[in-house]
Amino acid sequence: MTASLVLRCVEEGRLSLDDRLGQFKPSSPDAGVTIRQALTHTSGPPDNLVFAYRPQRLDPLALAVRACSGDSFRESVGNLLERFAMIDSVPGPDVIHLEPPAEGIPSPAAVQRYTAVLGQLATPYAVSQRRPTPSQYLATTLTTSAGLVTTVRDFWRFELALRDGAIVRRDTLADAWRAPTDREGRPLPHGLGWFVQSFNGKPIVWQFGIGENASSSMVLTVPSKGMTLVLMANSDGLVKPFALSAGDVTVSPFARVFLGLFAR
């Protein structure tokens, strides 16, 4: 969602991929990093890019979205939830403690709905030696890389709208789903907001999330097939055992099953 909001601002000419994060947050340790580098998790000059996956680099993009739209990052995400009828999603677990119109919370009715959704949260578990123990979700607010409360069905609505061009143009998404290259011309693992790689000659696009000892998620799209897999778990076992941050989704047995069936 963060990448989608930023890319829409770029389409509108309100942001540039070459804007530096320090323009929005001068105190950021990554102030010299461009929006393009933050979204691709790269550093260095264009002819010598180096990849390192660090989601925390995305934090200043919340302020970039505000500079673009005039709305807080939470409000921008909340608007997406409303627009695509994601009625079982919440823009951060702390939203019910805010007083409207703080951070763009639209109405007491919305807060009431969010409260009902949060009352149905799956219990998170830490698993040790195959023994599950109830735990706590780590994300306490909405950030550019964590904190969205949602369901598989709701997130599928977002993914469908994204692919249909309802959030950003299809050509913008195609550019986002194109891997940058290193100095040898080899593709790097991450496009503008999504991991990108090839499987059996077909491009695949994916992303993952993890809350230590509490939650994990994976979204995997095969654009040529128009198919997307959305997985969510109330433990970290969907992601933690596998080195997904290196940029190869095939280390996941869940991804291999899906790709083996639908991307052969």
Side-chain angles (χ1 to χ4, degrees), residues 82 95-96 98-102 104-115:
E82 294 290 329
V95 71
I96 60 174
L98 302 178
E99 293 293 332
I105 304 308
S107 67
V111 174
Q112 186 176 10
R113 188 178 80 248
Y114 294 152
T115 301

Side-chain angles (χ1 to χ4, degrees), residues 2-3 5 17 40 105 109 112 127 129 146 152 157 165 170 194 202 220 264:
T2 299
L5 290 169
L17 290 174
T40 57
I105 304 308
Q112 186 176 10
V127 181
Q129 298 181 341
V152 167
R157 289 190 176 98
R170 286 187 173 90
W194 290 264
K202 293 182 175 65
L220 172 57
R264 289 180 297 182

Side-chain angles (χ1 to χ4, degrees), residues 130-161:
R130 298 182 178 267
R131 291 178 178 268
T133 304
S135 62
Q136 292 184 332
Y137 291 111
L138 295 184
T140 58
T141 190
L142 182 70
T143 69
T144 52
S145 58
L148 177 68
V149 178
T150 190
T151 65
V152 167
R153 187 183 298 275
D154 267 9
F155 201 76
W156 168 80
R157 289 190 176 98
F158 168 77
E159 286 287 317
L160 187 61

Side-chain angles (χ1 to χ4, degrees), residues 71 73 107 179 226 228:
D71 297 332
F73 181 72
S107 67
T228 296

Side-chain angles (χ1 to χ4, degrees), residues 2 6-7 21 41 69 71 78 92 107 133 139-140 173-176 178 190 196 199 203-204 207 227 232-233:
T2 299
V6 170
L7 292 173
L21 301 184
H41 297 275
S69 65
D71 297 332
S107 67
T133 304
T140 58
L173 190 62
D175 287 341
R178 187 173 296 117
H190 209 283
V196 290
F199 179 81
I204 57 175
Q207 192 53 269
M227 301 185 72
M232 297 180 183

